[in-house]
């Protein structure tokens, strides 16, 4: 761990970290480090460029461009400072330079000597500082408060620095992820794609299409003079949808349709970047002739400027200048302008280009690091991936045009190597020496460990990339074999110092006794896993070769670094060594070490019998077959020859201790016993470099004897191989289980002994003292932990075993845990290699094992572990899925990772399927159909078995085909597998190459859908011991998902289009195509040919390329894991802030070692963000509990949680981008990261963003798994909760109802999962105002919780309170309705009474005509007058008041006279007239509708006001 990271994230001191790491790992692994000291600021001074446009002027005049002040850490080196300088806007243009201390003249005329180091190096003023010199050493001569200054000094050019300058300018003007970058040549299309920005900004429509808009952008025209004005150009830009939120178009289950494959978003378009130069390339005049090289010429460059000029730039020792050369004629003299003096060379190439081209300056200013605008895309989504294999999308679009003209692409090799021809190419990298040299670096301190692991990860990543290139070269036939006379299947190749062999053809019959080719393929996979395990153990003195497996085009290739001395003639050297050892002194013999000894034994008797290789009896008989480099283990070519080495055995003891391997004896042909920890088939070889290497590490784990005895041969159907091993994860799980069982036994015995002693001491007391005390401990566990579902006997047994294991153990009763010992014998039950003299049969081509005595605890442990796998480990997986403790199982890849993490081999998929069936049975064992989580798991297991069978069949079909024929084979295979519903009899296409008249039809041409299904069913039965129903292929096979699995995991890139899997889908797609055609312009119709209907689902042109699948042996980093685990444990102990600091410390170490863009870094980002989210939820629950317990003293719910959620959000976003680029856009872990990001966004108060991510998670589930999975309902429910928070109650109800309907169909109406969804649905109904539906759902939930969890469970009590509350609300509503109805009834009765009184008191006044009393008595349409008493009575009746005897309202009788006078004078009621009292009542109550004319007047008046207002 670097001191820089200590200062940034750890204020507590390194000693605390070391102590926590020691607690986590049980032993002291980290030395206490002194607390780092922060240095004063460091000022760096820069030279001034020649062109004023090179460095842009700062916006703030106080910000200098000729100096930079930084705050470095003491352990940072000059190289780290240079990396920082190169990215600064004021120094990006620099050529080669060095960092120096300011010059101070010394006594000898040179710079003053400030420091003399132990290695006799000096630090002088004004002289170049070593790039690996640390800052603290450079300024060791200064006081703490002394001024620290470094000067940037230009250095002369060489050819290497000239080439580096060209590469540097390419980085600036053609950054990765932009349209300007045309020099990359990936092995497949669209590497490292990401769509996160499109998802985040909402530019993806619900169908998956990116929406664009046309905008005008001003660009320079490129012309000089007056015509050089800017032009307006229309470009497309992605736009955000104008919808309110991502679910605004959601229409429930019927509206959720699967996204078409042709519309899936797979990558974002590269950034549009304007070119800064027309072209730049290495001039054809290179290399410089000798006489000009003597004058300092280093490199010639040809550059075409945007202004239209093409110049030849010459690099000399002093810098760059423009020559008088043209394209056809070379003239090295300097070009002059206006007959002026010859300009001196410009030291920086970038500075020179600025002075030559103003357009270059203008366009470069818009790129990093000069641009002041924030980047439109996150740099993580565009930069090159340094140390991880990029993910290649399984669907890709063919680029148009297919390629672009870029001559510099062919010159990159020269820029990197400087080789003009084959004779000048340097020797390839010595990978083995690099790997082993880095392993030998010191690792005493944390800083040394970090640097060592960083270099190891870097070299392993580079080795993997070199292995891929080498395999492709060998596979194409470009490299001859080093053993051409042998069988082609046994050919070995040497390319780039990488030793390459075929890993799936047992041409030498080395695995004939175990299964031949199938055993060899599995053996190499196990060998790589063993090498990865040993790399992680990292035993000092034990070395492993660089090792990588590449699966490509149906073949497995093994790539290894070269073992030193493997190709040398060792026999002659050995004989000379024997002669020298016989005549030399003992000291001389000791100096030569013991690499020629093979018979050493740990016992004195066997040590006395140890002999030299040349003197061994077996060597005399079979000296031709003896391997002189082997010093440990059994020789595969001579099984009776056992080699043993004391030093190697001591190293293997460390491996045995870590892997819990037991020491055991192996006899050689002479009967001499030799002790081994690992299997004797694990070989130790000593190279000519003196290092001890381990090979054939597949036998580090013991044999799965139960499989060999019970499943290898069933009714004559033999498993393909006998190399069935137990996984290390299973051994660890079994060891922990046995440790718990042992601890419980010891604790029970100690407790019984203690109780017995206590009973003796208290014999006088009556009754046993522990009866009442044991009752609480013996009570059944809280029903809240285990729902009372009707479980099958298998599920009950697994749950009982789990409960037994999880019982707490009193640690004080155990004593010393070292008394427990459980180790495994890796040689137990191992089939022996037959010797040449052995008699074997075809039915048993191996010799039976000699180590089968189960009275030996180490042999018995192997048997018990194998039984544990079947009886405990597999049921435990199903139990966790059943109880919802396992999530994220979306496809076969996630299932494989989960099973491997639990120690279960994939050959047990059939057993897993049968266990699921057992768990789905009824309480009495009756057969039932799988439901819920088990149904989803069963579907994934069946799909995975079919996929693996398809993978084996397809690999056999294409392994011996030419690449161009492979596309025909793959497309026909997919048609038979997935397209038989569309075309039941697809025909295979085969185009012979034409090199021979005797070309036979390949096997794939004979394939039919029927024969393929039969082959798949047979392969599943043979490999997994499970029978697949043939109807499954038509009824339950998820074709889209199986296509994705095949493409991703087999390495196939398909053309992106809508693949038609059945005829119904074809009819719907045809209608869509018709609609699209009708919407097109007529002009385009004339130019385009009609689309022909496909005969098959897949065509050969749909298979774009086959992608190599790499299995690396690079282990995870240990130093960062230790810090991260220390953080987790610290949080669990209650120190949240300190634990989060540790986690950030470990996270930064991951970034430092792996670089940011790596799947392991994404995983750590996700872990930290998850920890923040869980802590935030806990704090929210605590605040809510405090508020419920003490409402007055509760904390403010709006107060901050005290957690850095913004940092967690930033890291989670980066995790999503990194996962998309390294794992894949449509990957199960990517979907999990998106879900966690949505939850964090909602927690931070960003509901719109959360809904976008939830919608994308649903798309990921649709592509990866398909519908009908319980976890999809979780996504819907969470999205519904977010919608409720933004008052989208109706849409939230739609989502919650869809989640409930899906859960009901998956789990049934009485499952606990259904009750939980009903509980959520209750809230949605309540917020929507439907109290009756809310009460109904809440009552259903209460019935389920009461039956499954019990009446006293907290969740049951909560639902019960909801039911009571809803009933009270509904009762209040009913009572209010009754009151309202009674009031209405009373009102009507009073109104009726008022009518009767009016008829009695004022019946004679029917209303006279008043035309004669008005000013103009000529009005012909007179109105009826209303008596004031009548009006008062009507008003009182409308208001609900009673009338007195005179017909007046009782409350208003005192003012009746005044009211009469006012109405007589100014009332306008008479203008309406009246026909009845009812109309007046309605008018007073406001119930009468205005007339049509009034409505028109109001509308027009409003419109007029709007117009008037607009004018104003």
């Amino acid at each position: 761990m670097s001191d820089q990271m200590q200062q940034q994230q750890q204020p507590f001191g390194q000693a605390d970290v070391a102590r926590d790491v020691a607690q986590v790992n049980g032993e002291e692994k980290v030395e206490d480090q002194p607390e780092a000291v922060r240095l004063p600021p460091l000022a760096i001074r820069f030279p001034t460029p020649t062109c004023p446009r090179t460095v842009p002027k700062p916006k703030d005049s106080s910000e200098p461009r000729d100096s930079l002040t930084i705050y470095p850490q003491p352990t940072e080196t000059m190289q780290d400072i240079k990396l920082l300088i190169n990215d600064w806007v004021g120094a990006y243009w620099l050529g080669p330079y060095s960092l120096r201390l300011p010059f101070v003249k010394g006594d000898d005329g040179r710079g003053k000597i400030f420091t003399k180091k132990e290695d006799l190096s000096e630090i002088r003023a004004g002289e170049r500082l070593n790039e690996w010199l640390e800052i603290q050493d450079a300024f060791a001569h200064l006081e703490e408060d002394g001024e620290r200054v470094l000067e940037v000094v230009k250095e002369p050019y060489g050819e290497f620095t000239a080439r580096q300058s060209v590469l540097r300018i390419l980085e600036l003007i053609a950054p990765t992820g932009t349209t300007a970058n045309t020099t990359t040549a990936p092995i497949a299309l669209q590497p490292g794609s990401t769509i996160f920005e499109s998802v985040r900004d909402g530019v993806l429509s619900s169908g998956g299409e990116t929406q664009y808009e046309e905008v005008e952008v001003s660009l320079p025209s490129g012309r000089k003079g007056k015509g050089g004005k800017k032009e307006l150009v229309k470009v497309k830009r992605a736009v955000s949808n104008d919808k309110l939120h991502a679910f605004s178009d959601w229409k429930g289950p019927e509206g959720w349709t699967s996204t078409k494959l042709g519309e899936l978003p797979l990558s974002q378009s590269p950034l549009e970047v304007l070119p800064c130069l027309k072209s730049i390339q290495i001039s054809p005049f290179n290399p410089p002739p000798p006489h000009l090289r003597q004058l300092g010429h280093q490199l010639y460059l040809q550059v075409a400027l945007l202004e239209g000029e093409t110049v030849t730039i010459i690099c000399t020792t002093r810098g760059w200048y423009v020559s008088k050369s043209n394209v056809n004629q070379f003239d090295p003299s300097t070009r002059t302008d206006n007959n002026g003096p010859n300009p001196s060379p410009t030291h920086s190439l970038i500075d020179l280009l600025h002075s030559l081209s103003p357009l270059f300056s203008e366009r470069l200013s818009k790129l990093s690091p000069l641009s002041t605008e924030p980047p439109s895309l996150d740099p993580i989504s565009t930069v090159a991936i340094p140390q991880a294999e990029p993910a290649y999308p399984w669907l890709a679009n063919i680029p148009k045009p297919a390629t672009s003209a870029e001559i510099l692409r062919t010159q990159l090799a020269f820029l990197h190597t400087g080789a003009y021809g084959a004779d000048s190419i340097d020797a390839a990298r010595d990978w083995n020496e690099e790997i082993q040299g880095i392993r030998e670096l010191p690792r005493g301190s944390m800083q040394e460990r970090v640097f060592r692991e960083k270099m190891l990860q870097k070299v392993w990543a580079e080795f993997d990339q070199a292995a891929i290139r080498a395999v492709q070269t060998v596979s194409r036939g470009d490299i001859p074999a080093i053993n051409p006379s042998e069988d082609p299947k046994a050919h070995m190749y040497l390319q780039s110092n990488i030793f390459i062999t075929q890993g799936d053809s047992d041409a030498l019959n080395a695995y004939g006794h175990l299964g031949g080719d199938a055993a060899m393929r599995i053996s190499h996979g196990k060998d790589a896993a063993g090498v990865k395990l040993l790399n992680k153990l990292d035993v000092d003195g034990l070395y492993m070769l660089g090792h990588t497996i590449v699966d490509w085009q149906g073949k497995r290739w093994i790539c290894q670094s070269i073992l030193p001395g493997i190709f040398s003639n060792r026999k002659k050297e050995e004989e000379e060594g024997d002669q020298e050892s016989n005549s030399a002194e003992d000291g001389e013999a000791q100096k030569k070490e013991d690499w020629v000894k093979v018979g050493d034994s740990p016992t004195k008797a066997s040590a006395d019998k140890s002999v030299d290789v040349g003197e061994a009896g077996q060597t005399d008989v079979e000296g031709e077959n003896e391997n002189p480099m082997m010093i440990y283990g059994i020789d595969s070519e001579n099984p009776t020859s056992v080699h043993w080495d004391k030093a190697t055995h001591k190293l293997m003891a460390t491996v045995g201790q870590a892997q819990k391997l037991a020491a055991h004896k192996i006899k050689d042909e002479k009967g001499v016993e030799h002790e081994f920890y690992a299997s004797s088939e694990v070989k130790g070889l000593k190279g000519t470099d003196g290092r001890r290497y381990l090979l054939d590490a597949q036998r580090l784990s013991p044999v799965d004897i139960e499989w060999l005895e019970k499943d290898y041969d069933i009714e004559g159907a033999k498993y393909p191989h006998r190399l069935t091993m137990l996984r290390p994860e299973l051994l660890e799980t079994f060891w922990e289980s046995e440790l718990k069982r042992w601890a419980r036994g010891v604790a029970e015995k100690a407790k019984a002994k203690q109780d017995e002693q206590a009973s003796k001491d208290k014999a006088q007391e009556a009754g046993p003292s522990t009866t009442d005390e044991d009752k609480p401990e013996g009570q059944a566990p809280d029903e809240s932990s285990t729902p009372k579902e009707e479980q099958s006997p298998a599920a009950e047994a697994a749950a009982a075993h789990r409960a037994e294991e999880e019982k707490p153990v009193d640690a004080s009763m155990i004593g010393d845990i070292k008394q427990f010992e459980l180790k495994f014998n890796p040689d137990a039950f191992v089939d022996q290699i037959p010797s040449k003299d052995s008699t074997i049969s075809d039915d048993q081509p191996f010799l039976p094992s000699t180590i089968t005595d189960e009275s030996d605890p180490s042999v018995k442990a192997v048997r018990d572990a194998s039984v544990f796998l079947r009886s405990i480990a597999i049921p435990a997986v199903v139990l966790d899925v059943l109880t919802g403790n396992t999530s994220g199982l979306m496809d076969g890849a996630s299932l494989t990772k989960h099973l491997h993490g639990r120690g279960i081999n994939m050959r047990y998929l059939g057993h897993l399927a049968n266990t699921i069936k057992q768990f789905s049975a009824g309480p009495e064992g009756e057969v039932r159909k799988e439901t819920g989580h088990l149904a989803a798991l069963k579907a994934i297991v069946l799909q995975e078995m079919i996929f693996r069978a398809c993978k084996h069949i397809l690999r056999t079909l294409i392994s011996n085909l030419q690449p161009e024929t492979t596309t025909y084979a793959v497309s026909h295979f997919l048609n038979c597998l997935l397209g038989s519903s569309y075309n039941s009899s697809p025909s295979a296409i085969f185009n012979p190459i034409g090199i021979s008249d005797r070309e036979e039809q390949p096997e794939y041409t004979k394939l039919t859908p029927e024969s393929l299904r039969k082959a798949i069913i047979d392969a599943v039965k043979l490999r997994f011991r499970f029978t697949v129903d043939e109807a499954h292929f038509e009824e339950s096979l998820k074709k889209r998902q199986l296509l994705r699995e095949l493409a991703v995991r087999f390495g196939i890139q398909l053309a992106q289009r809508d693949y038609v899997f059945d005829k119904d889908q074809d009819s719907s797609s045809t209608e869509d195509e018709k609609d699209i055609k009708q919407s097109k312009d007529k002009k385009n119709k004339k130019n385009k040919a009609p689309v022909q209907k496909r005969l098959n689902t897949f065509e050969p042109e749909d298979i774009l390329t086959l992608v190599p699948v790499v299995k690396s042996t690079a282990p995870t980093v240990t130093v960062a894991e230790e810090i991260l685990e220390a953080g987790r444990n610290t949080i669990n102990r209650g120190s949240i802030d300190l634990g989060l600091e540790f986690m950030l410390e470990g996270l930064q170490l991951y970034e430092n070692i792996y670089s940011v863009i790596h799947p392991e870094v994404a995983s750590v980002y996700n872990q930290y963000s998850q920890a923040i989210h869980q802590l935030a939820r806990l704090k929210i629950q605590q605040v809510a509990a405090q508020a419920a317990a003490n409402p007055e003293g509760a904390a403010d719910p709006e107060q901050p949680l005290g957690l850095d959620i913004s940092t967690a959000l930033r890291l989670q976003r980066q995790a999503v981008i990194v996962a998309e680029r390294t794992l894949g856009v449509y990957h199960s872990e990517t979907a999990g990261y998106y879900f966690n990001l949505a939850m964090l966004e909602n927690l931070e108060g960003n509901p719109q963003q959360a809904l976008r991510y939830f919608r994308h998670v649903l798309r990921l589930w649709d592509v990866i798994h398909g519908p009908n999975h319980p976890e999809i309902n979780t996504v819907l429910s969470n999205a519904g909760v977010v919608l409720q928070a933004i008052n989208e109650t109706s849409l939230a109800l739609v989502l919650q109802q869809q989640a409930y309907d899906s859960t009901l169909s998956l789990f049934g109406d009485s499952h606990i999962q259904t009750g939980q969804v009903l509980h959520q649905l209750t809230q949605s109904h309540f917020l929507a105002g439907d109290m009756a539906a809310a009460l109904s759902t809440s009552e259903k939930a209460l019935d389920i919780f009461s039956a499954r969890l019990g009446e006293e469970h907290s969740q049951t009590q909560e639902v019960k309170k909801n039911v009571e509350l809803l009933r009270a609300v509904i009762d209040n509503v009913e009572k209010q309705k009754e009151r309202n109805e009674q009031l209405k009834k009373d009102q009507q009765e009073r109104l009726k009474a008022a009518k009767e009184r009016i008829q009695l008191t004022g019946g004679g006044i029917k209303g006279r005509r008043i035309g004669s009393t008005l000013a103009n008595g000529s009005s012909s349409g007179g109105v009826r007058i209303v008596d004031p008493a009548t009006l008062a009575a009507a008003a009182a009746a409308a208001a609900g008041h009673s009338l007195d005897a005179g017909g007046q309202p009782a409350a208003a009788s005192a003012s009746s006279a005044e009211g009469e006078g006012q109405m007589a004078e100014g009332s306008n009621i008479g203008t309406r007239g009246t026909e009845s009292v009812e109309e007046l009542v309605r008018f007073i109550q406001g119930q009468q509708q205005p007339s049509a004319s009034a409505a028109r007047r109001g509308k027009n008046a409003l419109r007029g006001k709007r117009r008037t207002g607009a004018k104003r």
Side-chain angles (χ1 to χ4, degrees), residues 588-622:
E588 184 71 13
Q590 185 178 2
K591 183 179 179 180
K592 286 185 174 294
E593 298 184 350
D594 57 348
W595 62 270
V596 294
K597 303 274 187 175
V598 297
D600 293 348
S601 174
T603 60
K604 183 176 180 181
S606 58
D608 294 338
K609 297 180 181 179
S610 63
V611 292
D612 292 348
V613 173
E615 299 173 0
Q618 61 266 27
T619 305
D620 294 339
V621 179
E622 296 178 356

Side-chain angles (χ1 to χ4, degrees), residues 679-692:
S679 172
S680 56
E681 294 185 14
V682 178
K683 302 173 180 58
L685 282 78
K686 192 165 187 179
T688 54
D689 56 357
R691 300 186 179 107
R692 290 174 169 82

Side-chain angles (χ1 to χ4, degrees), residues 1172 1203-1213 1240 1244:
I1172 291 289
L1203 297 171
D1204 193 359
I1205 299 179
S1206 60
T1207 298
L1209 261 177
R1210 177 179 59 84
L1211 295 178
Q1212 189 66 24
R1213 292 174 188 138
L1240 272 175
E1244 185 68 358

Side-chain angles (χ1 to χ4, degrees), residues 99 154 290 766 902 954 1105 1109 1360:
L99 296 175
K154 300 176 182 178
R902 302 286 287 262
L954 181 57
T1105 185
V1109 178
K1360 191 174 182 180

Side-chain angles (χ1 to χ4, degrees), residues 549-696:
I549 294 178
V550 179
D551 293 334
W552 191 45
Q553 294 190 351
K555 289 187 178 181
R556 169 161 288 186
W557 299 90
I558 312 303
C559 307
Q560 295 174 308
S561 60
I562 301 175
L563 179 66
I566 193 68
F567 294 124
S568 62
N569 187 5
R570 292 297 307 274
K571 187 171 182 179
K572 182 177 179 181
E573 297 176 4
E574 176 198 352
E575 293 174 355
E576 294 176 357
D578 292 342
Q579 295 176 2
E580 293 177 2
S581 61
N582 291 333
S583 59
E585 299 292 334
D586 293 340
E588 184 71 13
Q590 185 178 2
K591 183 179 179 180
K592 286 185 174 294
E593 298 184 350
D594 57 348
W595 62 270
V596 294
K597 303 274 187 175
V598 297
D600 293 348
S601 174
T603 60
K604 183 176 180 181
S606 58
D608 294 338
K609 297 180 181 179
S610 63
V611 292
D612 292 348
V613 173
E615 299 173 0
Q618 61 266 27
T619 305
D620 294 339
V621 179
E622 296 178 356
E624 297 292 334
N625 297 329
E626 196 69 29
N627 187 350
M629 299 182 67
M630 183 174 293
I631 58 173
Y632 195 76
I634 292 179
D635 192 346
S636 302
E637 299 178 2
N638 185 12
T640 60
S641 174
V642 179
H643 303 261
W644 198 88
D645 174 69
K646 184 177 181 180
T648 306
H649 185 68
K650 185 177 180 181
L651 296 174
M652 291 302 297
T654 306
V655 177
Q657 181 69 22
Q659 293 303 110
K660 303 174 180 59
L661 303 178
H664 57 281
K665 305 286 187 178
I666 298 294
K667 291 184 179 180
D668 60 12
E669 62 179 1
K670 294 184 178 180
V672 179
E673 289 185 343
H674 305 275
E675 187 181 65
F676 291 91
Y677 286 96
S679 172
S680 56
E681 294 185 14
V682 178
K683 302 173 180 58
L685 282 78
K686 192 165 187 179
T688 54
D689 56 357
R691 300 186 179 107
R692 290 174 169 82
Y693 295 88
L694 278 190
L695 275 70
D696 296 345

